[in-house]
Amino acid sequence: MPEISIKLRSVPDTAAAIGWSGPHSLTVDRPPGVARGGGLGFNGGELLALAIGGCFCNDLHYVATAQGIELTSLSVDVTLELSGDPPLATAARMAVNATAAEAEADIQAVITQAKATSTVSNSLARGLAVEVARV
């Protein structure tokens, strides 16, 4: 069964963390003044929205390529609704716009298939068990 592993480690002299997988990295933090945050990176909600939208961008390209369509431009905007205390994500909305090199390409069919196969969106929709263990 395939797995994806990432690591996060604190950044010295800050309350931020650096996360990485292979050669890719990003900074995780809170807004300045919030729980020692310095505003050095994305917070968890932003990362969740990026995961939803980023995965969907990739899925659009996977589907288009499989259908012989070349996407020439793509925009995906994600709005994540939060409610409660502590805040929980209760809904996500994506606004998608794409164009293809081929004028007759069925972009809606690409979007529909990408939605049906998107790893992150479908994992969240079906419920994802998260285990936490101190090591």
Side-chain angles (χ1 to χ4, degrees):
M1 183 178 289
E3 290 184 341
I4 297 171
S5 295
I6 63 103
K7 297 183 183 300
L8 290 144
R9 301 292 185 267
S10 60
V11 177
D13 301 320
T14 75
I18 296 290
W20 72 90
S21 177
H24 310 291
S25 65
L26 57 77
T27 305
V28 181
D29 200 2
R30 288 144 321 284
V34 177
R36 297 185 51 230
L40 299 174
F42 298 103
N43 69 33
E46 292 166 332
L47 289 169
L48 179 58
L50 280 166
I52 293 167
C55 183
F56 201 74
C57 285
N58 286 343
D59 293 328
L60 288 164
H61 282 286
Y62 292 142
V63 170
T65 299
Q67 295 181 8
I69 297 170
E70 179 189 349
L71 296 180
T72 56
S73 71
L74 177 62
S75 70
V76 174
D77 296 340
V78 179
T79 301
L80 193 64
E81 291 183 17
L82 304 172
S83 65
D85 185 23
L88 297 175
T90 56
R93 290 186 310 279
M94 281 190 278
V96 179
N97 188 16
T99 56
E102 309 83 4
E104 69 283 354
D106 188 350
I107 297 296
Q108 185 57 53
V110 172
I111 292 170
T112 300
Q113 182 63 29
K115 181 176 187 273
T117 60
S118 182
T119 301
V120 172
S121 295
N122 288 315
S123 296
L124 292 170
R126 293 176 185 161
L128 172 68
V130 177
E131 297 178 23
V132 178
R134 184 175 184 203
V135 294

